[in-house]
Amino acid sequence: MPPIDQNSRRRRPTGLIALDETAVSDGYTLYAPLTGTGEVYLIDLHGRTVHRWDLPYRPGRHARLLADGTLAYNGVLPGEKALFPMWHKYRGGVMLRAAPDGTVLREHRDPLQHHDAHHLDDGRILYTALEALTGSGAADVRGGVPGSEAAGGVVWADTIKEVGPDGELLWSWRAAEHLDRASFPLHEAYAREHWPLVNSVTPLRDGNILASLRSVSAVVVISRETGEILWRSRPGTVSQQHAPTELDDGRLLVFDNGVFRPGHDVPYSRVIEIDRAGGDIVWEYHDPAREFFFAPFMGSAQRLPNGNTLVTDSPSGRLFEVTKDGYLCWEYVVPYFAGYHESEVRGLFPSEPNAVFRAYRYTAADIPWLETTA
């Protein structure tokens, strides 16, 4: 090792950075280091680990607690080949539920699953996957870098699936069938290997499906009944966004990454609320020094019970909470650094990151078992 660590993020402080107990939303924060081997941590507001799971797969993105106290976890299916270089960066393949002691209670596998798998309390799982488009199907996809398809000229297109507790297919949707190619073209800087790159999928209260299409910069609502697009964000509202969620008033909370943001030569990330009725942004948080907070990929935001917002600055492993007025009242930096195992991803991301896909905050009432097992 050289005298000075060349990993600039690792040279900076980690753990608890800031805490204002008069403004913060009380509770515990859950996260899974992306380059870990299956560790999931639950920490208190002071950054102390109060519970840990050790699961048999490295994270295929994130973990989340369900109403019955079990852990929903998306892991990476071992031994799969790379469909394209970035595939190992965001694929999953194993969707499981685990008890507080780490015992795996249920598992569903799909080698083509990637990014998001939303586990419902009743045992259903709504998740994103891929299918191969070839020939005219691939050629019909608009935009992207010419000649940048996956091996064999394939464009891998997104699907969304819902399976029951026993793995039976209950519902499915295909981008190739329901997305208009002219209305949802790839950004010109994106490879044509994956279209439109659905990085988030969640059910709405009305039963329809909320999805984020990163490579075409669109948040959409999909009809569960017909598969048609019922609503989409206005072009230019979001740029390479992640993790839209529905708020109690029907607005959408979105982590807007800001890559290729129209009209801005300096990129920055922000968290926004979108009013679906008019498509307008009605609330926004960005760092006072806009360029300081910029996550070119990944990221999430969660609205907390007291109205604050928990933000996951994913590439930096930085979790922070802000009030409605934009006051940062809690900040924690993940202290666990490790490299990606697959050579394809290690070549693209050679450093050892402390990245986290999403973090979630839970109240003590959400975790009744914690007191007896901590």
Side-chain angles (χ1 to χ4, degrees), residues 4 59 67 77 120 128 159 172 174 212 224 230 250 256 288 299 307 330 332-333 338 343 372-373:
I4 297 176
L77 185 63
L120 285 84
T128 55
T159 65
S172 63
R174 301 172 57 236
S212 166
R224 180 181 286 272
L230 300 176
D256 183 24
W330 183 81
Y332 173 87
V333 175
S343 60
T372 59
T373 61

Side-chain angles (χ1 to χ4, degrees), residues 52-250:
R52 170 175 163 167
W53 293 257
D54 290 281
L55 298 169
Y57 312 98
R58 78 171 178 86
R61 303 285 94 178
H62 64 290
R64 188 168 63 89
L65 285 172
L66 300 178
D68 64 358
T70 58
L71 184 79
Y73 180 77
N74 304 322
V76 173
L77 185 63
E80 295 296 308
K81 295 182 179 179
L83 303 178
F84 42 87
M86 280 293 286
W87 179 237
H88 281 322
K89 176 71 162 57
Y90 55 65
R91 72 181 182 90
V94 182
M95 294 152 272
L96 63 81
R97 291 173 72 154
D101 66 0
T103 301
V104 176
L105 305 172
R106 184 185 303 154
E107 186 177 291
H108 177 70
R109 294 188 171 198
D110 184 337
L112 294 179
Q113 184 266 329
H114 67 90
H115 278 95
D116 203 6
H118 185 88
H119 299 246
L120 285 84
D121 291 322
D122 62 8
R124 290 176 293 147
I125 308 173
L126 185 70
Y127 67 90
T128 55
L130 293 182
E131 67 170 342
L133 302 184
T134 60
S136 61
D140 286 344
V141 173
R142 305 284 184 89
V145 178
S148 61
E149 292 82 359
V154 172
V155 172
W156 290 94
D158 282 300
T159 65
I160 301 174
K161 298 179 180 180
E162 184 182 81
V163 296
D166 297 324
E168 69 274 24
L169 182 65
L170 303 177
W171 181 84
S172 63
W173 179 88
R174 301 172 57 236
E177 178 183 359
H178 293 289
L179 279 191
D180 178 71
R181 307 301 197 274
S183 299
F184 295 92
L186 286 167
H187 187 278
E188 61 183 10
Y190 266 85
R192 290 175 50 80
E193 59 197 16
H194 187 176
W195 170 81
L197 210 163
V198 178
N199 58 28
S200 177
V201 60
T202 185
L204 295 170
R205 286 191 294 272
D206 64 7
N208 293 313
I209 308 300
L210 178 65
S212 166
L213 285 54
R214 172 174 166 84
S215 298
V216 302
S217 290
V219 175
V220 300
V221 174
I222 299 168
S223 168
R224 180 181 286 272
E225 182 177 356
T226 67
E228 67 180 309
I229 303 300
L230 300 176
W231 179 91
R232 71 167 290 177
S233 54
R234 286 202 306 256
T237 303
V238 291
S239 299
Q240 321 300 300
Q241 73 295 321
H242 282 75
T245 55
E246 183 183 27
L247 300 177
D248 290 341
D249 59 6

